[in-house]
Amino acid sequence: MLDFNKSSMLRSKAVKEIASAIDDGLQRAQAESKPRSYLGASSIGAPCERKTQYNYMGVPKEEGFSAKTLRIFARGHLGEDMMADWLRQAGYDLRTEKPDGRQFGFASANGKFKGHCDGIIHAGPGLETPCIWENKCVGSKSWKAMDSKGVKDSKPEYYAQVQLYMSYLDLTAAPALFTALNMDDMQIYIELIKFDRKAAQAASDLAVSIIQDTEAGAMRPRVSKDPEFWLCRFCEYRGRCHA
């Protein structure tokens, strides 16, 4: 007798094979992708300087991202596109590419330090323009932290990233528009971030220090000496770092 029970179908060999093929395809594409050859602005301001340095060095991760995590990353790109469309529908003159199709960005330290912002707004209600636009797609926990504490205190890496874009792209007169889309319930967090010269300089100095130390063979400090510290416990470089 044929069994059309849903749970039986979910457990079928064919269903498992299809799911496995999708996961394998995502992880194969990840393995084949070339690592960045530069230090990215998005990593400056993260809690652990050693992890940022490992990323810059192109050190292979001890465990690649799971297929689920890769799908979450892909969802973030789609969320950014949605947010850009919503801003344009609201009347904002948002430009996410130059006329030649390239992103707005900067390169410093002989191309060893780079960053690309999500866009530049040239006109729109409630804003001084032109201004930087930066968007993040996050889960409820991160969204609530930003909503409660603001970007600077809850996500210092995002704050540093925005400051670097404002500084290097010479868009310091008008506050940057920072948006965060809660991918769990689709709430939008909005903050206008003013230029913070000290923070921008500190982030730039840190980037230079990481590049110089890497070239000299010196390692940056860890966020903790305890491998069981929560940030270390889930780090892709835990074994190497605490060996």
Side-chain angles (χ1 to χ4, degrees):
M1 178 182 290
L2 293 174
D3 183 1
F4 293 106
N5 182 276
K6 184 178 180 182
S7 62
S8 174
M9 295 290 285
L10 289 173
R11 290 193 300 269
S12 75
K13 182 179 178 181
V15 167
K16 291 179 180 177
E17 185 176 348
I18 293 167
S20 179
I22 293 171
D23 286 355
D24 290 347
L26 281 166
Q27 293 181 307
R28 187 166 55 251
Q30 178 199 24
E32 292 171 354
S33 64
K34 293 181 180 179
R36 283 178 175 174
S37 59
Y38 59 88
L39 179 60
S42 60
S43 61
I44 299 299
C48 184
E49 294 179 20
R50 177 78 60 92
K51 181 176 181 179
T52 299
Q53 185 177 23
Y54 280 142
N55 282 328
Y56 170 55
M57 293 165 64
V59 173
K61 294 177 173 60
E62 289 158 15
E63 289 185 17
F65 292 117
S66 68
K68 178 182 177 181
T69 300
L70 293 172
R71 287 194 289 272
I72 291 172
F73 289 163
R75 181 183 67 174
H77 293 307
L78 294 174
E80 182 183 314
D81 291 341
M82 287 192 297
M83 195 70 233
D85 286 342
W86 296 337
L87 285 170
R88 292 183 179 115
Q89 289 168 13
Y92 293 91
D93 179 5
L94 168 62
R95 305 175 196 182
T96 53
E97 294 179 343
K98 297 178 182 179
D100 61 6
R102 293 184 300 161
Q103 285 182 286
F104 296 101
F106 72 88
S108 183
N110 295 318
K112 296 172 185 175
F113 181 43
K114 296 182 182 180
H116 301 88
C117 72
D118 290 332
I120 296 175
I121 298 177
H122 288 265
L127 287 179
E128 298 175 54
T129 56
C131 69
I132 295 290
W133 172 60
E134 187 64 22
N135 181 74
K136 301 295 178 184
C137 294
V138 299
S140 290
K141 184 177 179 180
S142 292
W143 194 95
K144 289 175 181 176
M146 283 188 275
D147 191 46
S148 172
K149 302 176 184 177
V151 174
K152 183 177 182 179
D153 292 333
S154 64
K155 293 290 182 180
E157 64 271 35
Y158 295 169
Y159 186 78
Q161 185 181 3
V162 170
Q163 296 301 332
L164 286 167
Y165 294 151
M166 295 174 78
S167 178
Y168 278 102
L169 295 176
D170 196 23
L171 290 171
T172 60
L177 174 63
F178 179 90
T179 55
L181 183 60
N182 186 330
M183 298 305 285
D184 296 324
D185 61 13
M186 303 306 284
Q187 290 190 86
I188 300 172
Y189 174 78
I190 299 171
E191 183 175 337
L192 296 176
I193 300 178
K194 294 182 178 180
F195 181 57
D196 182 338
R197 191 174 300 278
K198 280 183 71 173
Q201 188 63 59
S204 181
D205 290 347
L206 176 58
V208 171
S209 295
I210 290 173
I211 292 169
Q212 290 177 339
D213 281 355
T214 301
E215 293 175 349
M219 297 307 298
R220 301 296 298 179
R222 306 180 185 93
V223 69
S224 173
K225 294 181 179 180
D226 180 7
E228 295 303 315
F229 180 65
W230 69 277
L231 282 172
C232 299
R233 198 162 65 244
F234 300 105
C235 179
E236 304 93 338
Y237 305 110
R238 180 179 182 231
R240 177 189 182 104
C241 185
H242 291 279

